Amino acid sequence: MIGSLEGRVALVTGCTGGIGKEICSALADAGATVIGADLPADSGTFTSDIANSSYYRLDVTDEAGWQKTIAATEAEHGRLDILAHVAGIVVVEKLVNTTLEQWRKQMAVNVDGPFLGTKVASDLMARTGETTPHGSSIIIISSVAGLIGSPLHTGYCTSKGAVRLFSKACAMEFSALKQKIRVNTLHPSGVKTGMVDQIMQRFVDEGFFKSVQEAFAGMGPAHPIGRMADPIDIAKAVRFLASDESGYMQGSELIVDGGYTAQ
């Protein structure tokens, strides 16, 4: 099967969100053993919905939590082939109204999370990478907001731009150290999830649109392909980056935005 992940072990943060859960499903469908990690103490139906999966509670901003999660992964599976940093938050607010607490919370989840996870998992992933043709794979979900600016998103744009360069620095360091770990970023535009619903409401609150319906009506045509992304569009791209099909990609940016940034 093209892009088969048979025998691979994947850890996905933010697994209970719309994009995270779809990514878990896509990796499991390709044959991977999937570990979902997120904040809720109870995963609900996660393990029953996703074949060959388990669930760990994880606060991505907590280094001790990462150490516990990676140690449990090694004890249970003996390897970690794929690490997908999906957990993220957005604060939609004018710059002058953004509090330091809001700013730091976005940096903690969106930047500290990938830093801590990549740091803690790197030893296990380097050892795992020696057993596969193209090494292990770390995928960081950035955003088109890490490539271009957006009103009411100063903190979010900053955090997503930060992980874009963090990924490249890690890719160069692992390669220089001859460690078989690939690190790449994925940059979606608007994806139809609950987070986007909240963003649209804030744009209405600030007077950019008269209603949420009007805001969404403009989102599809803003993408040359004619629609917003569905979570499965992002999941397929993650599956590609996780597989040997992307084996020559290192420190790269995969933009999945329906042509949004090509205009």
Side-chain angles (χ1 to χ4, degrees):
M1 181 173 82
I2 295 177
S4 173
L5 299 175
E6 291 289 340
R8 309 288 172 91
V9 176
L11 173 61
V12 180
T13 69
C15 69
T16 62
I19 296 174
K21 193 167 186 179
E22 198 68 56
I23 289 170
C24 290
S25 294
L27 298 180
D29 289 346
T33 296
V34 176
I35 302 162
D38 215 328
L39 268 175
D42 183 353
S43 65
T45 61
F46 180 81
T47 53
S48 61
D49 289 348
I50 311 296
N52 199 23
S53 69
S54 55
Y55 177 86
Y56 295 161
R57 185 186 184 280
L58 173 65
D59 175 353
V60 297
T61 70
D62 177 30
E63 186 167 7
W66 271 108
Q67 291 168 339
K68 181 179 178 181
T69 296
I70 297 303
T73 299
E74 182 170 17
E76 184 173 354
H77 303 286
R79 62 189 298 120
L80 180 60
D81 300 87
I82 301 153
L83 174 57
H85 291 293
V86 185
I89 62 169
V90 58
V91 173
V92 185
E93 188 56 86
K94 291 179 180 176
L95 172 62
V96 295
N97 294 334
T98 301
T99 67
L100 184 57
E101 180 182 7
Q102 289 173 321
W103 176 274
R104 287 177 172 169
K105 181 64 174 178
Q106 283 184 106
M107 298 305 152
V109 176
N110 299 350
V111 184
D112 295 356
F115 157 66
L116 291 170
T118 300
K119 171 188 172 183
V120 174
S122 61
D123 179 64
L124 176 58
M125 296 192 75
R127 286 184 277 121
T128 300
E130 293 296 330
T131 69
T132 57
H134 299 287
S136 53
S137 176
I138 296 175
I139 304 116
I140 302 177
I141 303 296
S142 181
S143 168
V144 294
L147 304 172
I148 59 175
S150 177
L152 308 185
H153 285 76
T154 51
Y156 187 71
C157 288
T158 301
S159 69
K160 292 303 184 179
V163 293
R164 172 176 176 255
L165 268 296
F166 172 73
S167 171
K168 293 178 182 294
C170 289
M172 294 303 96
E173 181 166 321
F174 292 144
S175 293
L177 295 173
K178 309 301 182 185
Q179 293 178 316
K180 292 185 66 176
I181 306 173
R182 296 185 296 110
V183 191
N184 297 289
T185 50
L186 179 63
H187 298 260
S189 56
V191 185
K192 287 183 272 188
T193 64
M195 180 182 287
V196 171
D197 292 342
Q198 296 172 17
I199 292 171
M200 292 300 101
Q201 183 59 59
R202 286 294 296 127
F203 275 113
V204 172
D205 295 342
E206 293 295 338
F208 285 83
F209 300 98
K210 293 180 181 178
S211 68
V212 171
Q213 291 74 20
E214 180 185 316
F216 272 108
M219 282 296 289
H223 298 75
I225 208 166
R227 65 175 178 86
M228 291 177 62
D230 292 309
I232 188 62
D233 295 313
I234 311 309
K236 288 177 180 178
V238 171
R239 182 174 62 193
F240 166 70
L241 290 175
S243 75
D244 290 339
E245 302 299 314
S246 61
Y248 198 60
M249 293 180 68
Q250 174 69 309
S252 298
E253 305 163 30
L254 183 56
I255 302 172
V256 184
D257 68 349
Y260 190 84
T261 58
Q263 302 177 89

